Amino acid sequence: MNIQIFGTNKCFDTKKAIRYFKERNIKVQFVDLKEKGLSKGEYTKVKQAVGGLDTMLNPKCKDKNALALIQYAVADEKDAKVLDNQQVLKTPIVRNGTKATIGYVPEIWKTWE
């Protein structure tokens, strides 16, 4: 199992996700979205795995202007705008190869083991 967790150091659910895998002795690669972020390829794979961009957007994010800009953008431009403004994504984003989840969902992670 090759687990990647994308989130922020201040996100409570991200901390819980990291702890979930560490308690099960599963190695985790943590990527801070404020420092590095998702690459275009990673973003595309996660988007396909979770069912589209609408699932990934966080309606409660602090940057309401960026969120509105993305929601009302032309379909062709949405992905580029999300990659430029990753603070609008729900966290944690947990990847295991081609599988991915958004948020804290241990019931799905158990099926990965």
Side-chain angles (χ1 to χ4, degrees):
M1 211 175 334
N2 184 20
I3 302 294
Q4 282 184 306
I5 299 178
F6 297 89
T8 60
N9 287 320
K10 292 185 177 184
C11 174
F12 185 66
D13 282 345
T14 299
K15 290 177 186 177
K16 285 185 354 187
I18 293 169
R19 187 172 60 240
Y20 173 88
F21 289 105
K22 286 197 175 172
E23 286 173 352
R24 286 154 183 78
N25 292 322
I26 299 170
K27 274 188 150 183
V28 169
Q29 177 192 4
F30 173 69
V31 179
D32 191 339
L33 286 176
K34 288 185 177 177
E35 291 176 17
K36 190 169 186 273
L38 291 159
S39 72
K40 188 174 183 179
E42 289 167 334
Y43 165 75
T44 304
K45 287 178 183 172
V46 169
K47 189 172 90 168
Q48 289 173 341
V50 300
L53 177 60
D54 293 335
T55 309
M56 297 175 71
L57 292 177
N58 182 3
K60 298 176 186 170
C61 74
K62 290 180 181 175
D63 194 346
K64 301 290 185 198
N65 292 336
L67 182 64
L69 185 72
I70 291 163
Q71 287 175 325
Y72 297 108
V74 181
D76 298 348
E77 297 175 3
K78 284 186 179 190
D79 292 336
K81 291 194 185 311
V82 170
L83 288 169
D84 290 341
N85 300 288
Q86 294 190 21
Q87 70 274 15
V88 300
L89 298 174
K90 289 180 192 169
T91 56
I93 298 169
V94 181
R95 277 188 68 204
N96 179 21
T98 57
K99 301 173 191 161
T101 60
I102 304 283
Y104 183 75
V105 282
E107 57 277 2
I108 294 175
W109 302 334
K110 284 178 189 170
T111 65
W112 293 355
E113 296 176 355

